Amino acid sequence: MAKIAIIYASGLGRTKKMAETIAEGAKTIEGVEVVLKDAYDAKIPEDIEGASAILLGGSTYNGKLNRAMEPVLEKMASVDLKGKVGLAFGSYGWHDVGVPTLIEKMKSFGMNVIEPGLSVVQVPDAKALERCFHLGRTVARGVTN
């Protein structure tokens, strides 16, 4: 069974909603195990062990990636992630910093990052959530083929 790990940090619940919707989409594909964790609850390396794809969500707060992702990224740096699929997503207010920061981090781990990731301004509307759902399905299809 293919495994997708989705770990997110969300200050106001916006990136959390995106993560939940991505997970819903991924779960519609048979043969996929989805691990969905808030950054505060994530256990690294356990939650990402055996994952074919790792999706990281991080909102932008005060012009920086949400600080809750820092311990996750620090622990991920000690895990061999070369060749794993990576994708970043998150919400922002004025300037999208979270998603590009996550993309660069995942690239530094040697991951195959799907770009440009998925960034949403402020609260994800129905159209943005539909994109999240389809993104989850697409990643899940990719890791099961």
Side-chain angles (χ1 to χ4, degrees):
M1 180 175 283
K3 177 179 174 180
I4 298 173
I6 304 170
I7 301 171
Y8 66 90
S10 182
L12 298 172
R14 298 166 183 175
T15 298
K16 175 182 181 181
K17 183 64 178 166
M18 293 175 71
E20 292 169 343
T21 306
I22 291 168
E24 287 172 18
K27 289 176 183 177
T28 64
I29 303 301
E30 194 171 318
V32 175
E33 172 193 359
V34 177
V35 174
L36 175 64
K37 293 282 183 95
D38 182 289
Y40 289 114
D41 300 324
K43 291 178 177 46
I44 308 297
E46 296 87 353
D47 291 332
I48 61 173
E49 281 179 340
S52 301
I54 301 169
L55 286 61
L56 299 178
S59 57
T60 300
Y61 182 73
N62 282 338
K64 297 178 185 170
L65 173 65
N66 185 312
R67 286 182 24 193
M69 282 304 289
E70 290 174 13
V72 171
L73 295 170
E74 287 171 11
K75 291 174 185 171
M76 285 178 67
S78 65
V79 178
D80 182 10
L81 299 172
K82 289 179 184 63
K84 301 280 185 187
V85 173
L87 182 108
F89 63 93
S91 69
Y92 66 98
W94 292 271
H95 183 64
D96 185 15
V97 175
V99 169
T101 300
L102 290 171
I103 287 171
E104 289 308 310
K105 274 293 194 188
M106 287 189 284
K107 284 182 175 180
S108 76
F109 301 151
M111 297 176 72
N112 295 325
V113 181
I114 300 168
E115 292 189 70
L118 179 58
S119 297
V120 173
V121 180
Q122 299 291 353
V123 179
D125 60 13
K127 189 173 185 175
L129 292 175
E130 183 178 335
R131 287 175 47 211
C132 291
F133 184 86
H134 288 294
L135 179 69
R137 284 181 56 87
T138 300
V139 172
R141 275 195 203 115
V143 298
T144 58
N145 290 333

